[in-house]
Amino acid sequence: GYGPLHYSCHHQQLECAKYLVENGAQLDFMTLDQKTPYSMLMAKSPNMAKFLMANQPAILKPKVKIISVISVL
């Protein structure tokens, strides 16, 4: 389901989003359909997307797990 920040982003409530971010809202929290607050704003509100980007650039980067393999002969 949606978290509070998802709802404020969906309804483009910048002041609410600022308050939530300043008080520890998780910017990388994903919904069941794999949406983050930032992804919800990409087309809706450039100003809010810019605010979220400035506060949490890590949400733009995919999380990649690097695995190394060692071959023994």
Side-chain angles (χ1 to χ4, degrees):
Y2 282 17
L5 188 55
H6 286 92
Y7 282 108
S8 64
C9 291
H10 179 73
H11 296 288
Q12 300 177 28
Q13 298 295 315
L14 180 58
E15 291 303 315
C16 182
K18 283 182 182 180
Y19 176 82
L20 291 168
V21 169
E22 289 166 356
N23 288 282
Q26 293 178 301
L27 296 171
D28 59 351
F29 181 80
M30 284 193 175
T31 61
L32 294 175
D33 56 353
Q34 304 296 307
K35 291 181 181 175
T36 63
Y38 181 80
S39 68
M40 295 175 71
L41 287 174
M42 289 293 286
K44 280 189 160 205
S45 178
N47 289 335
M48 283 184 70
K50 183 186 274 188
F51 169 77
L52 290 179
M53 214 165 63
N55 284 280
Q56 187 72 21
I59 63 174
L60 301 177
K61 299 175 186 172
K63 294 179 182 174
V64 177
K65 188 174 186 178
I66 299 173
I67 300 172
S68 62
V69 177
I70 299 173
S71 177
V72 179
L73 296 175

